[in-house]
Amino acid sequence: MKNICIDDNWTFRRGFADSIGMLNEDPGTLVNLPHDGMIGTRVYPDAPAKSDSGYFVGGLTNYTRYIMIPKEWENECVGLKFDGAMMNVTIEVNGCKVGCQHYGYAPFYVDLTDYVTFGEENRITINCNTSMYVNSRWYTGSGLYRGAVLCHGTRVHIVPDGVFVYTKEVAEGYAFLDAEVEVKNATLQNRLAEVEITVFREVSGEKESEASEVVGRTKRVIQINAGKSEIAKIALNIKNPVLWDADNPNLYRVRAQVKSLGMNRTHFISEKTDEIDEAETLFGIRTITVDSVRGLRINGKTVKLKGGCLHHDNGLLGAVSLYETEARKIKKLKEVGFNAIRTAHNPPSAALIEACDRIGMYVFDEAFDAWGMAKRGGDYSQFFESDWEKDLTAFVKRDRSHPSVILWSTGNEIPERGGLDNGYTLATELANTMRSLDGTRPVSNGICSLWSGLDDELMKNQSQKQNSSEGLIDTSWETITEPFTNGLDVVGYNYMEELYERDHEMFPERVILGSENFPKEIGFRWPLVERLSYVIGEFTWTAWDYIGEAGIGKAAYVEEDDPMVATNGWALMPPSGSPYPWRLANDADVDITGHILPQGAYRSVVWGTNNTYLFSMHPDTFGRTELMTMWGFPSVAANWNYKGYEDKPIRLVVVSRAEEVEVFVNGESVGRKHVSTERPMPNTAYFDTVYVPGKVEAVSYVGGKEVSRDILLSTGEPAEIRLIPEKKEMKADGHDVIYVGIEVVDSERNVVPDAEISLKAEVKYVPDNGHDKEESGCAILAGFGSANPITEDNYTDGETTSYRGRAMAILRAGYEQGEAVLTVSAEGLEVVREIFKLL
């Protein structure tokens, strides 16, 4: 079917739209999709979800647009396609309910053919409901956060996400492919149809690349009975293929076309028609195998997954998903050293999957966080029994042609893992359903320790601390969860690295994946992953910071006799340990603005960079006992500004994979040490000194020769604001974005790492007619804020406070060409401006 983006000019209202009269009474706000109806709302200390949602509150919202359905489509099929809508949505056409969707992350299609009026404008209203508290363990956002597409096509047409291409084998200079094209016959007659596929080589990995060279074409004829769908199965051989992997993201595009040839009654009755329906999808040629002897192999080469878990939100933009935003995220993660992401714990956006295809990132693609047993009172569990197969099917069909997707997950930390609620057979059924839709990839599930998921009798002797290693001394976990793993090709272990070698003895053929891992443990866990062939990688929690689960990563420094010491960090955990206004999880390698944190620097060193990273700890922490949540990281910072602490003791932390490091303060050595190779933090060296303003240098040596160094400087007071745009032009397509880094710098133009100053931003634009306008027709300030995990900021109101000397502005394109002017100001500092072109 032909897809028409209809993301522009929707009217957004709060509340439930139950009549056209209500719509007439409320003029609403004009917005472009994708749109998050929650991110611009207030946060409240008494939010029902508390720290789970970052103190945001859900509610009822609705979107309306009038759409002209041409008279020429009268003999066609018409529908709406959504990549996801948050959540419990109903779709109305001209006041009539035509569809609904509960799961906020799954793609879905609504057939409008029998409801629209051809040749006239039709009112489309979509109600969204995130008010069923508490519906998630993290921030969900609300509304049409992944956009909307209008589809139309002939009565004999390719169904949405109906094209599947996969690699059977690569050998002797050929790639042997199979294609499946699902065709629907919406007529009243049995019909024969010709299905043709054409394969193009994409000329580059960029989003706007043009498919040029034709490398294969073939076709076949199938019968589709009236009102039914049928799958055309087509073999295709590609000579001299270029393969896809994360380092070489070579892509192809397949175009499928279907043409009805006529009716098939007792014999074929030919019909002449020029009507052709078509659909396209990206794919890559690559093979996947996995076993406990050779591990995971992509195109015959062993790969260890350097993975990170990702929630779906995009920080300052809320849940809005745009290709440029997702691509930026993937590029930043590759800078750290990641080669894989896990879509925790739900189907991601199509934009994220395409970014992974084009940029080169393996994807562990996950379906559900809950099955039939709830984790939160308003979550998907209440719809799981009736909806899971529909939602799982839509998710797999959308993603199965994409080469970046190398592993499926049926769920995460499922309470049924101990067999409750028919969990054992349900686990097998979900895995088999995935395999029936796509037999080319392994299936997994992220299984955790038994801190939940058992009946009362068995729970008596179990630790109920989430993901604690307590209770893993005997083999009860293995015995209880073994039936749950039936049907899994790869068994995901959440935070249970200590079991890898023991479980290999019990299950020699089992392939193990660290499906979640504590971030601070990468230094001593990764060598184990590299050494064990049957462990194919690990996924840190998390790669990129996110809204909700606020404060699960934090460290505190207390006196030795403080009662909190006895809790071993559990006293810091949410909700009690993350009071209002905690917002972000604070557990990641990269913050919500895209700035790599010390945790990410540490990981990059473990994974092989020869860079040296120098950090300090605040003098107030010196000599105190460190308390840390399991998802925390030591409170280190690239900072040498501690006014008022002159001559006070301070600790410096150097991260390096060299043999030795030496630290200099104002040119004088404070010591040279071997870099630790031992737990808990290999690849580090600690130096205790006193704080003296000036310059600190850390130098790394291998074989006595310098390999790299890092510097910390004491800075002056804030003197100006520096804007760092990541680009100067964007397309006037409603979807493009420009990220503008904002730095508070001193008179020497050094970032002031402890600067916390109030900032204001606004965007005005000059359209092609040259007249200044206040309202932003060609661009808007879509997000403005900082990476501060504890904040009451409204990311949409143009006001924030810098955090560690930095903030971020995000400009989003409208649909008009012209120039957009970003202005950022702070009291006592010169106003700064930057001009951007909309093309």
Side-chain angles (χ1 to χ4, degrees):
M1 302 179 81
K2 293 180 176 65
N3 293 331
I4 302 171
C5 178
I6 53 170
D7 284 347
D8 59 310
N9 294 321
W10 287 76
T11 301
F12 171 72
R13 300 174 175 89
R14 300 202 179 275
F16 183 78
D18 62 351
S19 68
I20 194 168
M22 175 190 173
L23 300 180
N24 291 335
E25 291 173 2
D26 182 358
T29 303
L30 209 60
V31 301
N32 294 329
L33 308 182
H35 176 261
D36 179 358
M38 187 183 293
I39 194 62
T41 61
R42 288 181 56 193
V43 287
Y44 293 90
D46 59 352
K50 300 186 184 301
S51 55
D52 277 355
S53 66
Y55 295 92
F56 282 91
V57 178
L60 299 169
T61 58
N62 63 87
Y63 299 79
T64 293
R65 178 174 163 168
Y66 287 84
I67 299 175
M68 170 60 72
I69 305 297
K71 187 73 172 176
E72 294 77 18
W73 296 2
E74 196 165 27
N75 295 316
E76 296 186 353
C77 293
V78 180
L80 287 173
K81 184 167 70 171
F82 300 90
D83 194 43
M86 190 62 67
M87 55 183 290
N88 301 317
V89 302
T90 57
I91 299 92
E92 294 181 5
V93 173
N94 300 324
C96 177
K97 178 181 174 181
V98 297
C100 66
Q101 169 71 15
H102 295 115
Y103 194 28
Y105 300 103
F108 63 101
Y109 174 81
V110 180
D111 189 350
L112 307 184
T113 307
D114 294 335
Y115 302 96
V116 295
T117 303
F118 294 93
E120 296 183 11
E121 283 197 329
N122 292 256
R123 176 173 64 87
I124 310 295
T125 294
I126 300 162
N127 280 291
C128 306
N129 181 0
T130 55
S131 68
M132 299 174 66
Y133 306 134
V134 170
N135 57 45
S136 178
R137 299 188 297 121
W138 56 84
Y139 176 86
T140 61
S142 176
L144 302 183
Y145 70 113
R146 293 180 181 172
V149 174
L150 179 64
C151 308
H152 72 101
T154 58
R155 291 280 172 165
V156 177
H157 61 265
I158 301 166
V159 303
D161 297 319
V163 180
F164 177 30
V165 181
Y166 57 94
T167 307
K168 292 188 298 183
E169 184 183 11
V170 178
E172 300 178 12
Y174 282 89
F176 300 96
L177 310 179
D178 271 352
E180 297 181 4
V181 181
E182 186 175 355
V183 182
K184 183 174 182 179
N185 175 8
T187 74
L188 299 177
Q189 308 89 23
N190 298 341
R191 290 186 171 269
L192 295 187
E194 178 184 87
V195 181
E196 180 180 80
I197 60 169
T198 305
V199 176
F200 303 86
R201 171 77 194 282
E202 290 273 291
V203 297
S204 79
E206 294 301 318
K207 178 74 161 58
E208 298 302 316
S209 66
E210 294 292 334
S212 56
E213 179 188 3
V214 175
V215 297
R217 178 179 284 126
T218 189
K219 58 187 176 182
R220 72 163 54 250
V221 175
I222 62 171
Q223 175 169 316
I224 316 108
N225 289 344
K228 303 291 185 181
S229 296
E230 188 58 75
I231 295 174
K233 296 179 179 292
I234 304 172
L236 189 67
N237 305 329
I238 303 298
K239 188 175 182 179
N240 298 323
V242 288
L243 306 186
W244 187 99
D245 63 28
D247 295 322
N248 305 282
N250 300 303
L251 288 171
Y252 292 83
R253 180 179 296 275
V254 61
R255 177 183 300 153
Q257 294 180 314
V258 59
K259 179 179 181 180
S260 177
L261 300 177
M263 293 184 291
N264 195 39
R265 299 168 68 89
T266 57
H267 64 277
F268 174 61
I269 303 172
S270 177
E271 293 178 351
K272 289 187 177 181
T273 179
D274 295 327
E275 293 181 344
I276 294 176
D277 189 55
E278 68 178 39
E280 292 188 352
T281 190
L282 288 176
F283 77 99
I285 296 173
R286 58 106 183 86
T287 60
I288 305 172
T289 61
V290 65
D291 58 65
S292 62
V293 176
R294 298 168 297 178
L296 172 67
R297 295 199 301 168
I298 307 294
N299 301 326
K301 298 178 181 179
T302 298
V303 172
K304 293 289 187 178
L305 298 177
K306 298 177 178 179
C309 297
L310 286 183
H311 271 313
H312 71 293
D313 79 73
N314 279 304
L316 305 179
L317 297 178
V320 166
S321 180
L322 300 161
Y323 176 83
E324 293 299 326
T325 292
E326 306 293 5
R328 176 181 183 267
K329 181 185 295 183
I330 297 305
K331 290 174 183 176
K332 295 275 186 185
L333 292 178
K334 291 194 78 167
E335 290 177 15
V336 177
F338 289 99
N339 68 5
I341 60 167
R342 179 187 179 196
T343 67
H345 300 292
N346 45 260
S349 67
L352 177 65
I353 295 298
E354 183 176 351
C356 292
D357 284 347
R358 292 187 179 279
I359 296 165
M361 182 71 75
Y362 299 120
V363 178
F364 181 15
D365 215 358
E366 191 148 69
F368 305 116
D369 188 53
W371 293 353
M373 295 180 65
K375 293 182 177 179
R376 296 293 186 268
D379 68 18
Y380 182 63
S381 62
Q382 58 196 319
F383 309 111
F384 180 79
E385 185 175 357
S386 60
D387 289 5
W388 75 261
E389 189 168 6
K390 168 183 67 70
D391 292 335
L392 184 72
T393 298
F395 154 56
V396 172
K397 288 175 68 175
R398 187 198 67 183
D399 289 354
R400 62 186 178 177
S401 286
H402 292 275
S404 59
V405 178
I406 61 165
L407 184 65
W408 299 115
S409 171
T410 57
N412 170 70
E413 297 183 359
I414 299 300
E416 291 91 332
R417 64 192 178 278
L420 296 180
D421 199 29
N422 203 31
Y424 295 151
T425 56
L426 187 57
T428 301
E429 186 178 4
L430 264 71
N432 287 342
T433 300
M434 272 186 160
R435 201 169 287 109
S436 70
L437 295 165
D438 172 30
T440 71
R441 296 171 175 84
V443 178
S444 185
N445 185 291
I447 308 174
C448 59
S449 59
L450 293 168
W451 51 270
S452 68
L454 299 176
D455 66 14
D456 290 353
E457 181 64 29
L458 293 181
M459 281 304 300
K460 289 178 181 177
N461 300 315
Q462 289 288 333
S463 169
Q464 296 180 37
K465 295 178 180 178
Q466 183 175 353
N467 289 306
S468 168
S469 60
E470 298 174 26
L472 298 178
I473 298 173
D474 61 24
T475 59
S476 60
W477 179 86
E478 289 85 348
T479 302
I480 292 171
T481 61
E482 184 179 2
F484 189 81
T485 67
N486 184 44
L488 300 183
D489 305 292
V490 175
V491 180
Y493 281 50
N494 283 13
Y495 312 105
M496 296 186 293
E497 297 91 336
E498 303 294 347
L499 300 187
Y500 290 173
E501 293 179 275
R502 183 179 79 188
D503 284 11
H504 180 61
E505 294 180 3
M506 297 179 65
F507 312 106
E509 288 76 31
R510 177 176 287 184
V511 179
I512 294 173
L513 172 65
S515 40
E516 284 184 33
N517 305 87
F518 296 127
K520 63 180 178 291
E521 296 183 355
I522 180 66
F524 64 87
R525 298 297 190 188
W526 187 251
L528 182 72
V529 175
E530 290 188 312
R531 178 169 60 84
L532 303 178
S533 64
Y534 52 87
V535 178
I536 64 173
E538 72 161 35
F539 287 79
T540 186
W541 192 270
T542 58
W544 196 282
D545 208 2
Y546 59 97
I547 304 172
E549 290 190 303
I552 66 167
K554 62 169 76 77
Y557 297 83
V558 299
E559 298 297 336
E560 188 177 7
D561 59 354
D562 191 297
M564 286 203 301
V565 173
T567 71
N568 199 28
W570 284 99
L572 304 177
M573 284 290 288
S576 60
S578 298
Y580 180 87
W582 265 96
R583 177 172 297 180
L584 307 180
N586 196 45
D587 61 354
D589 286 26
V590 185
D591 72 27
I592 62 168
T593 70
H595 184 69
I596 297 174
L597 295 167
Q599 177 177 306
Y602 180 63
R603 186 177 310 278
S604 70
V605 168
V606 173
W607 280 342
T609 183
N610 289 318
N611 292 345
T612 298
Y613 295 98
L614 174 61
F615 304 107
S616 67
M617 301 184 71
H618 196 284
D620 283 344
T621 69
F622 192 87
R624 294 195 163 206
T625 298
E626 182 179 72
L627 285 182
M628 195 183 307
T629 64
M630 295 186 294
W631 293 271
F633 196 79
S635 293
V636 299
N639 181 16
W640 199 240
N641 281 8
Y642 296 107
K643 187 176 181 180
Y645 289 88
E646 289 79 6
D647 298 321
K648 300 288 187 181
I650 191 170
R651 171 162 286 185
L652 293 162
V653 181
V654 184
V655 178
S656 172
R657 61 183 296 105
E659 295 169 353
E660 295 178 303
V661 294
E662 187 171 13
V663 168
F664 300 86
V665 177
N666 295 329
E668 294 186 11
S669 175
V670 298
R672 183 162 173 165
K673 293 184 178 182
H674 288 285
V675 176
S676 173
T677 59
E678 303 299 323
R679 298 172 70 158
M681 293 286 284
N683 302 110
T684 59
Y686 297 88
F687 295 83
D688 292 340
T689 183
V690 295
Y691 174 64
V692 180
K695 177 181 178 181
V696 185
E697 294 179 273
V699 184
S700 294
Y701 303 93
V702 173
K705 296 182 179 180
E706 179 181 337
V707 293
S708 61
R709 65 173 59 203
D710 196 15
I711 297 173
L712 295 180
L713 295 173
S714 299
T715 71
E717 295 298 314
E720 62 179 289
I721 301 167
R722 179 166 59 201
L723 302 184
I724 307 176
E726 296 182 5
K727 59 184 182 181
K728 290 291 194 76
E729 297 178 348
M730 58 179 166
K731 299 179 292 295
D733 62 359
H735 289 179
D736 205 354
V737 292
I738 294 177
Y739 283 78
V740 183
I742 300 168
E743 295 180 342
V744 181
V745 299
D746 66 8
S747 60
E748 301 295 321
R749 298 185 66 78
N750 297 309
V751 174
V752 182
D754 58 345
E756 296 187 359
I757 64 173
S758 296
L759 300 169
K760 292 184 178 181
E762 63 177 351
V763 171
K764 296 182 180 180
Y765 86 100
V766 182
D768 282 346
N769 62 22
H771 299 295
D772 286 348
K773 298 184 74 173
E774 292 288 336
E775 64 272 18
S776 300
C778 70
I780 62 168
L781 184 65
F784 184 60
S786 77
N788 191 345
I790 308 172
T791 182
E792 293 181 290
D793 273 6
N794 182 329
Y795 296 145
T796 68
D797 69 1
E799 297 185 7
T800 191
T801 300
S802 63
Y803 179 66
R804 295 179 176 171
R806 291 183 167 88
M808 178 68 70
I810 307 173
L811 279 69
R812 179 173 169 181
Y815 291 89
E816 296 180 24
Q817 296 183 345
E819 291 184 343
V821 182
L822 169 67
T823 302
V824 180
S825 61
E827 187 174 349
L829 300 180
E830 184 178 347
V831 175
V832 291
R833 293 179 176 85
E834 193 76 47
I835 299 174
F836 303 95
K837 290 186 179 295
L838 279 290
L839 305 175

